Amino acid sequence: MSELQQLKAKDFKSNQEIRWCPGCGDYSIIAGVQAVLADIGVARENVVMVSGIGCSSRFPYYMETYGFHGIHGRANAIATGVKVANPDLQVWVITGDGDGLSIGGNHMIHSLRRNVDLKIILFNNEIYGLTKGQYSPTSPQGLKTKTSPYGSVDAPFNPLQLALGSGSTFVARTLDTQPKHMKEVLAAAAAHKGSAFVEVWQNCVIFNDGCFKDWTDKTTRDEQTIMLQPGQPMVYGKDQDKGLKIDGFALKIVPAAEASAWDPTVDSAGPAFVMTQLDNDPAMPRPFGVFRSVRKPTLDELVHEQIGTVTTKRGPGALKDLLYTSDCWTVD
Amino acid sequence: MSELQQLKAKDFKSNQEIRWCPGCGDYSIIAGVQAVLADIGVARENVVMVSGIGCSSRFPYYMETYGFHGIHGRANAIATGVKVANPDLQVWVITGDGDGLSIGGNHMIHSLRRNVDLKIILFNNEIYGLTKGQYSPTSPQGLKTKTSPYGSVDAPFNPLQLALGSGSTFVARTLDTQPKHMKEVLAAAAAHKGSAFVEVWQNCVIFNDGCFKDWTDKTTRDEQTIMLQPGQPMVYGKDQDKGLKIDGFALKIVPAAEASAWDPTVDSAGPAFVMTQLDNDPAMPRPFGVFRSVRKPTLDELVHEQIGTVTTKRGPGALKDLLYTSDCWTVD
Amino acid sequence: MSSDTSEIIRQDDVTIRFAGDSGDGMQLTGTQFTDTTALVGNDLATFPDFPAEIRAPAGTRAGVSGFQIHFSSADIYTPGDAPDVLVAMNPAALIINYKDLKPGGIVLVNTGSFTEKDLERADCKTNPLTDGSLSGFRVIQEDINQRTIEALAGSPLGKKDVLRCKNFFTLGMMYWLFSRPIEPTLEWLEEKFGKKPDLFDANTRALKAGYNHGELLRLFQGRYEVPKVDNVEPGTYRNINGNQAVALGLVAGAELAGLKAFLGSYPITPATDILQYMSVMKNHGVITCQMEDEIAGICTAIGASFAGHLGMTNTSGPGLALKTEAMGLAVITELPLVIVNVQRGGPSTGLPTKVEQADLLQCIFGRNGEAPIPVISCSSPADAFECAVEACRIAVEYMTPVILLSDNYIANGAEPWKLPAIEDLPRFEVKFVTDPEGYTPYTRDAKLARAWAKPGTPDLMHRIGGLEKDARTGNVSYDPDNHQIMCETRLAKVMGIRDSIPTPTYYGPDAPDLLVVSWGSTYGATRSAVEALQKEGRRIGRLHMRHMYPLPYGLPEIFASARRIVLPEMNFGQLARLLTSEYPQFKFEQHYKVKGKPFFAPELKAHFRTILEEMA
Amino acid sequence: MSSDTSEIIRQDDVTIRFAGDSGDGMQLTGTQFTDTTALVGNDLATFPDFPAEIRAPAGTRAGVSGFQIHFSSADIYTPGDAPDVLVAMNPAALIINYKDLKPGGIVLVNTGSFTEKDLERADCKTNPLTDGSLSGFRVIQEDINQRTIEALAGSPLGKKDVLRCKNFFTLGMMYWLFSRPIEPTLEWLEEKFGKKPDLFDANTRALKAGYNHGELLRLFQGRYEVPKVDNVEPGTYRNINGNQAVALGLVAGAELAGLKAFLGSYPITPATDILQYMSVMKNHGVITCQMEDEIAGICTAIGASFAGHLGMTNTSGPGLALKTEAMGLAVITELPLVIVNVQRGGPSTGLPTKVEQADLLQCIFGRNGEAPIPVISCSSPADAFECAVEACRIAVEYMTPVILLSDNYIANGAEPWKLPAIEDLPRFEVKFVTDPEGYTPYTRDAKLARAWAKPGTPDLMHRIGGLEKDARTGNVSYDPDNHQIMCETRLAKVMGIRDSIPTPTYYGPDAPDLLVVSWGSTYGATRSAVEALQKEGRRIGRLHMRHMYPLPYGLPEIFASARRIVLPEMNFGQLARLLTSEYPQFKFEQHYKVKGKPFFAPELKAHFRTILEEMA
Ligand SMILES: Cc1ncc(C[n+]2csc(CCOP(=O)(O)OP(=O)(O)O)c2C)c(N)n1
Ligand SMILES: Cc1ncc(C[n+]2csc(CCOP(=O)(O)OP(=O)(O)O)c2C)c(N)n1
Ligand code: SF4
Ligand code: SF4
Ligand SMILES: [Mg+2]
Ligand SMILES: [Mg+2]
């Protein structure tokens, strides 16, 4: 029934009061997800939100869907169980840079390589929010935090590179300050069949305020960022006058007209990985959008396909067959 | 004292009888490591071998060095502790595809991103040997093993891609069947300051015999593999007549004369990552050798540098200063 | 077969140990002997003794693989203590095993593998065949290698393959010696090698030759007959080991609950087989996920239970340790989950291929916060099936994780199992909530089990998780009183399981001098020892525990009847500690063995006898 | 300050609770009041009551932050029970806290934050100031917002920043009310805002204005004086909370062992501060590694110990669960390691910011195999220093991992700590092996501690790890007898620690009617309750446990002297169970509270009195 009526974003709000700090980037992300769910018209009862622990991981409580607030770092594993058990559910993983990349890094990379059909949103605020401000695996080297009073000595992950290195079939990045872009990216993730890894730059106003400001500030962002559009030339700048061109194993800045087109659907993850290298170069714009999107069989499909094949071949098993095998003997 | 005399490979053999199956690829790897250690002239007492659990992880017992046979998957973390505590030690991590990429995947990627100065040898036999033959995170999809009687449904990792995606500063690959190449690669790893990730293709004669035979068979290997040499053109083939050329974000086969040169020392990990994409293409040769080698500050350096800086600035701390601070008051 | 004129020696109870190099096929020989022995109607129990995990160099002591079978014309409960017969295929096998033999026992030695080099590989300074080591045993020396080569003269197989058949030659000899038919093995060979006639032919010839060799050459002083058990309960039987039984029980349990089984796992000795067995059962709708580690194993299982399957996970000690945090999550989310722990020697990696039962207190108390989980322990391979079903029952009836304890000895030991009639199995069908009326996630039934609504059900959307929840609304709650109520309720629910479990049966005289309490795989040796003493007229009784937590009702009454109580355990007295903490009015004496080996009936008997004599 | 004519009310014991929105600066207000109170020579104890981890919307009940201080002219042991004074900066703070007040207590309300909107944010249907909620209390209403604005008239600060100073205005009022000097805070302001004159000026003016306001406006019926404690032990003191004390104790412990401290950690509430404090101590050579998870935290610490440092790791319940497997590794490799567990409410994520002491049995028994680890528990912030040093001592003297238990209440509570003289601290310098003569990794000393040789030492190359090792050679060993010997030795070593620890002191009359046994943070409330009853002449005594495992000698003698024994615990009786299992001859009565809140002295007193009266 509920599938028939057209749901609105607000129908995906639970009755729980949201407990994020005023101004937290998380608000914009939840709004984006609610809007996208309404847009794609999925029934609320078929959506499961699975999270770990962190500010971001409180997300499921605020959603009028099924929800599982797990333990720290284990959201991907729990979600894998949900999805493989019941592939009819649409399963989202909500995680943070600490939850999903620090303690949960292993489940993250394994669920990506297995291509479990999960929509994974990584709230990257480059800090541990919930525990009140320690550096995370995405914090830049040198960041002073409560546990790095003289500056962090850890080199950070680039989440996109890690996802690509894990074999992820869908890799994207967006920002909390750009709701429209975020919705586009989330919609693409929802439409992707397979693991969809979406990094969202999210501002923590309390413990790491402004860490992304070079790329979010209205005054600078157009020159500092580039929004990749599938099949479109890679152009950017306030006047869309600049572009990127493939140059050997690298990219260079060219006038817009000479820009190469961006294709996230090529089988090789090489181009996407080269694209993420821009992050290391202050002279280059930061790319956002869909870096990679290729269709491969998902774990949940393969598991059930195999069950189907074996069952067709051997016939559905009855408990009796399992116990009473050819090795039995009878005593009268 | 022992530093003065020139040690031989056999001086690195402990008195313990080796317990690997006859024909196991592990024998050739331990021989390679012992030879390299003798060559580089490191004192035995300054070498620490840390491993997890697996056939490969028994390695430390057979080495006349300090050794720590850890628990499953945790070798990188234990080794990080050893190295950060005492940077004067040369610390090797010995691990398997199960130990280092399955249960130990998280410590692996984190030690690589932190650039801890560890020499990591991943014995990749695409199987769990010690537990007698289950598929591993590097087993190809479809492989029938004890736990995948109808074929594995898991898509595997490419270990090199994972290492590059983690930000590893040194990434290389070699084979148990090519002792000379292996020694070159291990020597380069030993010389690298920072995390050195070396994947070694290792044949498990019992549970996954011949899984690499297309690339190890004397008859086919020259056409199926390419040995990357830093600064040299990428040529291969029995007659060294073929080569690889950079073509946009990809590589194509060309006559040897047109081959591009290979440079593992560029800052961008993009080229190395593109190079690993050859593994997905049956028409292309498999690359071996050093994919990436760049110098970045190591975690152990940074930790001790910071301790040094703060100590210089504040003066070496005495216990008394720590307790008797300015907040104290005295009652007489 | 050929008619036989050897003297027949009737014996009611025999233990044979087959021992050879890992490559000698001793496990197969043992299994064939077992299957045939089952068919002739003996009771039996077997236990393989694998070498340590890694294959050792051929011929070395570390490479010895053994298989012990105990069979009898009466009911038996262990794979036997000191063997009557040792088959030793090489010097290493001989050296490692001969000391276990019964005085006067038979040693059959394959002299074909006693060259200088063989002795050296086995690290023998002198030849045990000639240095007096074997005095006191009846040694039968035979060049089995040579006999096999002779028997297979003309076979198209190469020499190496011919020699591979020596285990069937040996099996033939043993069949003759113990008056077993060779036909079942012939059938098996046909099935196995039907499509490889050369191999079929060679092994068949080796088997028959061995049999005839026994008969013709009079190597043995006579031939044994172990009559079948005559009062066997009628029914259908099959040999089963503990891991198989657990796998079957879990799948049966899920089916009896009306659910699909989902196993989230990670390989670890000696628990891996359960995953292996279950991964074959795809046509039963069983989902197995081999995950990246034990944490992911249990977490996928929790996710699957949330989605409405019956989540399960299996492991051994170190893996259980890793699951600790997630077990707490299963407790607080009150989802059904079966956690199988096949114990091995610890601490840490310890002795991975050996037996121990030192994880009991970890299972009961090893979690942060007040996180009660029921614990069940199985006592033998056949019992493991029932225990697994029981674990599933408790999990779904009480919406709780359940730990099922097994150990390496049960896991790899085998015995005949009387199959239950499918229709006799208990049913405990789950009814998912579908009606939104009055639903909250913590609506409870009479057993205090919370309501289970699964994703996909309209209008029952809800959120659960690791933070404490309000008892009424199910929302996150930091309320102090609510927390205490929830903790008390979770405990009361688990304690309530006592209403659904029986008091264990006491076997023995009223008011015994000595009561022996056993649990897990100490069952067999304890029962044998106690029954033997009972036959001697001793006032000794026994009690075997299946439900370890919560403890069943009725125990104090039983304990009170005994003058002394002793607990044999393969740990430093963990059950003794638990019972003391619950029933401090009784004195529980611990008797431990932490050697990676099971208790043997004679050593227990001796110990109990000493106690009884002290009391006399 | 201005001369003062108010009536002076002498009171020996006062508890104040400051409560406001998270943004109102109540923690700072409380800390300033505390520091000044320490300087005037009262004994004191404090406890902050943070809101749940995430910042809640301003003005809501979930956003209320509290700070309680208890100060006295006599020795005190808890941050107080029912407050005498409540400072409530907004409706939410009032609503949440007023019920805890003592009957007749003072409520100081900032009416400036009681607009309609404020009431709505706090979810108040009616105004608690007018709806009768506060009858029975002495309510003082003051528009502190307005008073602050007035006081700061002319300040260059914006209105928002001006209003930020209202906590200093409030602090001034409280200083007046309790006759404290404002100078220490003025000094602090100077230090803190010396370089920001506007802020310094504003806060100084607010503070003084508040003080004068108290005096001039006679809002209060009189002014209190809490005389200083006159028999304070001479010495140097400082206020310290439990996490600080642990951090200091660990660093001191490493130094006393002659080693460098290495902390491998992962943030988790309420243990994170220890990592934070230690990460500042770089110039003491302390290495802190914030790792990717708890497992890596402990594993780096194990690696560091192998390399010759003193490895340490700190966490809370869920993190401890994750360290379980690696703790077993530390046991079998016999390396020194200190594991700090700051307990919080469980199970699972539970109540992360609340107190509980339900990890005791997990710490003692929660590992696979026989894996004994000594467990020490600290009783108060000041005690935590000594306990941390003691943990280091045991770790290096016995070559063993040690668990140090703290809890959220100790971690965040603060009290004055009499600093030890550095030269009085115990020294337990480690001597590394350097002589290869006769060395094996399992050479043991009289305490059964194994020889510690560190990498880098010539000719002592050796291998250790998780597999069982031969007691003599240190090589991997599957030998059954060796395993039992090693298990027994590891246990005997840990049990041997009893030779180095004292029997806890019994305080009370001989042969008491009631003996109260406390552990951990139940110390303060128990002591207060028992002493109060003793003053009433009751035959009640108490015993506080620091060493939880192994248990010290001498306990049965003490237990035997009492008619009844009761154990207040913030769990379902874990120590009671442990003691019962060790000393079944005594009856240990549990008295539990599992509400995420500490015991209060009055509730314990009431409970003990009931027992005593039952017995009369
Ligand atoms: C096992 C365990 N370890 C540690 C913690 C403490 N903890 C909770 S959230 C968190 C980090 C959260 O960071 P992130 O995932 O980036 O989320 P954010 O709060 O920034 O959204 C930590 C360390 C925990 N709850 N459980
Ligand atoms: C916590 C834990 N889980 C599982 C195991 C069992 N186990 C031991 S080694 C191993 C896999 C080894 O595979 P790999 O690392 O590839 O080593 P290989 O034997 O192939 O050299 C497993 C699953 C264990 N010892 N500990
Ligand atoms: S602490 Fe940071 S991430 Fe957490 S809710 Fe507040 S602003 Fe958001
Ligand atoms: S099982 Fe395989 S990997 Fe292990 S020792 Fe044997 S051949 Fe080597
Ligand atoms: Mg974060
Ligand atoms: Mg492997």
Side-chain angles (χ1 to χ4, degrees), chain B residues 17-22 27 53-55 58 62 70-72 74 98-99 102-104 128 130-136 146-150 154 206-207, chain C residues 50-58 60 62 121 266-269 272 275-277 279-283 288-295 322 348-349 352:
Chain B
E17 197 190 352
I18 295 190
R19 292 263 174 106
W20 291 312
C21 306
Y27 286 96
I53 303 283
C55 292
R58 297 289 167 101
Y62 310 138
I71 42 179
H72 197 32
R74 316 302 171 191
D99 189 64
S102 190
I103 189 169
Y128 292 170
L130 190 68
T131 47
K132 303 192 190 281
Q134 300 79 26
Y135 64 101
S136 91
K146 286 195 184 146
T147 48
S148 58
Y150 309 110
D154 277 24
I206 304 297
F207 297 113
Chain C
F50 302 124
E53 319 97 298
I54 290 194
R55 225 170 251 229
T60 61
R121 281 206 197 99
Y266 186 71
I268 184 168
T269 306
T272 314
L275 167 62
Q276 292 175 181
Y277 292 128
S279 63
V280 183
M281 304 179 186
K282 295 266 182 288
N283 60 330
T288 54
C289 279
Q290 179 182 309
M291 297 301 292
E292 55 273 20
D293 64 10
E294 283 85 352
I295 302 176
L322 288 168
S348 193
T349 310

Side-chain angles (χ1 to χ4, degrees), chain C residues 503-518:
Chain C
T503 303
T505 312
Y506 165 74
Y507 295 95
D510 289 350
D513 289 334
L514 183 60
L515 170 64
V516 184
V517 180
S518 56

Side-chain angles (χ1 to χ4, degrees), chain B residues 96-98 123 125-129:
Chain B
D97 44 323
F123 290 50
N125 55 12
E126 301 191 347
I127 200 86
Y128 292 170

Side-chain angles (χ1 to χ4, degrees), chain A residues 17-21 53 55 58 71-72 74 98 102-103 128 130-132 134-135 146-147 149-150 206, chain D residues 53-57 60 62 266-269 272 275-276 279-282 290-294 322 348-349:
Chain A
E17 197 190 352
I18 295 191
R19 292 267 174 104
W20 290 312
C21 305
I53 302 283
C55 293
R58 298 288 166 102
I71 43 179
H72 196 33
R74 316 302 170 191
S102 191
I103 189 169
Y128 291 170
L130 189 68
T131 48
K132 304 193 190 281
Q134 301 78 25
Y135 63 101
K146 287 196 183 146
T147 48
Y150 309 109
I206 304 297
Chain D
E53 318 98 299
I54 291 194
R55 222 167 252 231
T60 60
Y266 187 71
I268 183 167
T269 306
T272 314
L275 167 62
Q276 291 175 184
S279 63
V280 183
M281 305 178 186
K282 294 269 181 286
Q290 179 182 310
M291 297 300 292
E292 57 272 20
D293 64 10
E294 284 83 355
L322 288 169
S348 193
T349 311

Side-chain angles (χ1 to χ4, degrees), chain C residues 269-439:
Chain C
T269 306
T272 314
D273 288 348
I274 297 172
L275 167 62
Q276 292 175 181
Y277 292 128
M278 285 177 71
S279 63
V280 183
M281 304 179 186
K282 295 266 182 288
N283 60 330
H284 292 262
V286 175
I287 298 180
T288 54
C289 279
Q290 179 182 309
M291 297 301 292
E292 55 273 20
D293 64 10
E294 283 85 352
I295 302 176
I298 187 171
C299 285
T300 44
I302 290 173
S305 283
F306 181 63
H309 282 228
L310 182 48
M312 304 164 176
T313 189
N314 69 311
T315 191
S316 186
L320 193 77
L322 288 168
K323 293 179 198 286
T324 304
E325 190 202 7
M327 284 194 262
L329 179 64
V331 168
I332 202 165
T333 54
E334 302 189 48
L335 285 168
L337 178 72
V338 179
I339 302 150
V340 182
N341 180 26
V342 186
Q343 297 166 97
R344 62 187 219 183
S348 193
T349 310
L351 293 178
T353 57
K354 303 292 172 192
V355 69
E356 206 160 285
Q357 46 181 194
D359 299 352
L360 178 64
L361 294 179
Q362 175 187 25
C363 291
I364 300 178
F365 299 120
R367 284 169 295 280
N368 58 301
E370 291 291 351
I373 294 184
V375 180
I376 302 179
S377 147
C378 42
S379 56
S380 75
D383 183 55
F385 176 84
E386 233 178 84
C387 289
V389 171
E390 172 74 346
C392 296
R393 177 189 72 81
I394 294 178
V396 298
E397 281 188 359
Y398 291 86
M399 292 292 282
T400 180
V402 177
I403 297 175
L404 174 62
L405 276 171
S406 173
D407 68 30
N408 183 51
Y409 187 50
I410 296 170
N412 290 308
E415 64 180 2
W417 170 45
K418 180 169 179 284
L419 291 166
I422 302 295
E423 56 282 6
D424 292 349
L425 291 171
R427 298 209 158 254
F428 31 87
E429 203 122 346
V430 167
K431 284 186 194 35
F432 289 103
V433 191
T434 51
D435 183 359
E437 181 65 34
Y439 167 81

Side-chain angles (χ1 to χ4, degrees), chain D residues 493-505:
Chain D
K493 180 179 79 171
V494 168
M495 284 299 143
I497 294 168
R498 283 186 293 182
D499 295 333
S500 77
I501 61 179
T503 302
T505 312

